[in-house]
Amino acid sequence: MKKESQQETQQRERNRTSASKSEQALERAAQAVLRQHAEQQFAGELEELARVDGRQRPPNWRLSPWAVRTYLLGGRLPNGFEISPKYIGNARLIEIAISTLATDRALLLYGLPGTAKSWVSEHLAAAISGDSTLLVQGTAGTDESALRYGWNYARLLVEGPSEAALVVSPLMKAMQEGKLARLEELTRMASEVQDTLITILSEKTLPIPELNREVQARKGFNVIATANNRDKGVNDLSSALMRRFNTVVLPLPQSVEEEVRIVEQRVSDLGRALELPAEKPALEEIRRVVTVFRELRAGKTLDGRLTLKVPSGTLSTAEAISVLNSGLALAAYYGDGRLRASDLAASLTGAIVKDPVQDRIVWLEYLQTVMKERSDWLDLYRACREVI
């Protein structure tokens, strides 16, 4: 008996060692991924929230609405654990979005490009369902099978319509498992494809006439769709479909300070993910890029004294993040690692000058009438003049 006990102990140790090696291998594989899904990247925060979350949860939700809000907006838990903010902005909009998903109405996140619609959608799905991957990307070529189901045609020809030949869509899988499905760029889908959603959102069923059955959504199922107002008129949503959605408009950041904070956080996160060997950008460089974007978006300087021409691009917060990351890459690999005006100039100009004729005129006028007149911006002015 004693000998068997020792063997069992040794076997348990071997199993523990094997499990530890497997966990380490999975961790190394996750670190090698350029961008992890939200539920992977913030797994520790989600686990800690679930541990302290004693509030009532809607059916099949991983967290309560309070915990989902805390996950999105950040905060300190009662045990002192710090949750990082994923969205910086109007907290009430996030509360409306979360409470909508607890009802039978779907959620439509609407706004300008670069206002974090997809970002918020992903994190809502990660916090509520623990799975942000049930995603359909809307394009002009998206057909009904992307929303409903498709067929493995090799098996279909041999067996005819069968469960084995059925190819389940992300939306159908969300219905079967009681999770959130995400639909990106809803207004880019053709009207007849959009209409496929009406039955699903109103009846919470998906008929499969070829198999003489239907899929009924489990509790917890809902849909988060996104659309940007630059696509207005491409494939407008019908009134019947709009009635199935509660629309939340995500605005651009209200102040310079808020936008600077967003850009600083995302640039820092992306820099770590990309392993850029560069110093953290000075707050002043971030503020200058954000100021340029805000003034050109608004068509006037921040003090309101000078009216400006507006370029054709959106100049979103996401583009400001991209400009700074491009600058950091230049500084890291072709400089001394410190972000300077010369590193920002090319990507800043490229973000603004989309139309080589009209936007170039807008940018040159801004350089001459605004940037040149700011004594502490002369280095950026000279660098931008060199690349225009």
Side-chain angles (χ1 to χ4, degrees), residues 108 138 147 183-190 194 197 225-227 235 237 241 245:
L108 175 61
L147 298 183
L183 305 181
E184 290 288 304
E185 306 294 352
L186 183 59
T187 50
R188 288 188 176 272
M189 298 180 188
Q194 294 177 11
L197 284 172
T226 67
N235 289 301
L237 304 183
L241 184 55
F245 282 101

Side-chain angles (χ1 to χ4, degrees), residues 129-373:
S129 298
D131 186 357
S132 64
T133 64
L134 301 177
L135 171 68
V136 176
Q137 178 63 54
T139 68
T142 302
D143 61 14
E144 288 186 38
S145 64
L147 298 183
R148 299 174 72 235
Y149 53 87
W151 297 99
N152 180 328
Y153 287 103
R155 301 196 69 156
L156 187 65
L157 289 171
V158 175
E159 304 172 4
S162 66
E163 292 287 348
L166 190 70
V167 178
V168 175
S169 71
L171 194 63
M172 181 188 284
K173 187 176 181 182
M175 295 176 72
Q176 292 172 331
E177 298 180 1
K179 294 182 177 180
L180 296 181
R182 299 169 55 210
L183 305 181
E184 290 288 304
E185 306 294 352
L186 183 59
T187 50
R188 288 188 176 272
M189 298 180 188
S191 299
E192 59 270 19
V193 180
Q194 294 177 11
D195 289 344
T196 304
L197 284 172
I198 293 177
T199 301
I200 295 173
L201 295 180
S202 59
E203 304 296 329
K204 301 296 188 291
T205 61
L206 178 55
I208 310 176
E210 297 90 342
L211 300 179
N212 195 29
R213 74 174 184 87
E214 65 180 9
V215 173
Q216 292 183 302
R218 290 186 59 198
K219 290 182 178 181
F221 166 74
N222 214 327
V223 172
I224 310 174
T226 67
N228 75 71
N229 53 14
R230 283 295 180 102
D231 288 337
K232 194 171 183 179
V234 176
N235 289 301
D236 286 333
L237 304 183
S238 67
S239 58
L241 184 55
M242 281 297 293
R243 285 199 304 272
R244 273 72 181 182
F245 282 101
N246 189 26
T247 302
V248 173
V249 179
L250 295 183
L252 289 164
Q254 293 184 350
S255 66
V256 174
E257 289 71 25
E258 186 177 291
E259 190 161 5
V260 166
R261 186 182 168 202
I262 294 169
V263 173
E264 182 184 21
Q265 179 178 312
R266 289 293 295 134
V267 167
S268 177
D269 292 344
L270 286 169
R272 284 195 299 271
L274 296 171
E275 299 181 15
L276 291 176
E279 294 179 14
K280 182 180 178 181
L283 199 61
E284 187 54 39
E285 295 298 344
I286 298 175
R287 184 175 292 276
R288 291 204 292 188
V289 172
V290 167
T291 299
V292 170
F293 274 38
R294 290 185 72 89
E295 290 183 329
L296 287 173
R297 278 200 312 253
K300 60 182 179 181
T301 53
L302 294 182
D303 58 16
R305 294 179 181 178
L306 190 62
T307 302
L308 306 169
K309 292 186 176 72
V310 178
S312 60
T314 57
L315 300 183
S316 66
T317 307
E319 288 174 292
I321 293 165
S322 179
V323 166
L324 283 152
N325 274 322
S326 297
L328 282 173
L330 279 173
Y333 298 117
Y334 299 104
D336 60 3
R338 183 182 176 189
L339 184 66
R340 291 181 169 81
S342 56
D343 302 313
L344 289 172
S347 52
L348 181 59
T349 300
I352 294 167
V353 182
K354 303 297 187 185
D355 184 314
V357 178
Q358 297 300 322
D359 289 346
R360 188 173 186 274
I361 295 171
V362 171
W363 184 223
L364 282 171
E365 182 177 299
Y366 182 87
L367 292 176
Q368 290 298 125
T369 59
V370 179
M371 196 176 287
K372 188 179 180 181
E373 299 303 313

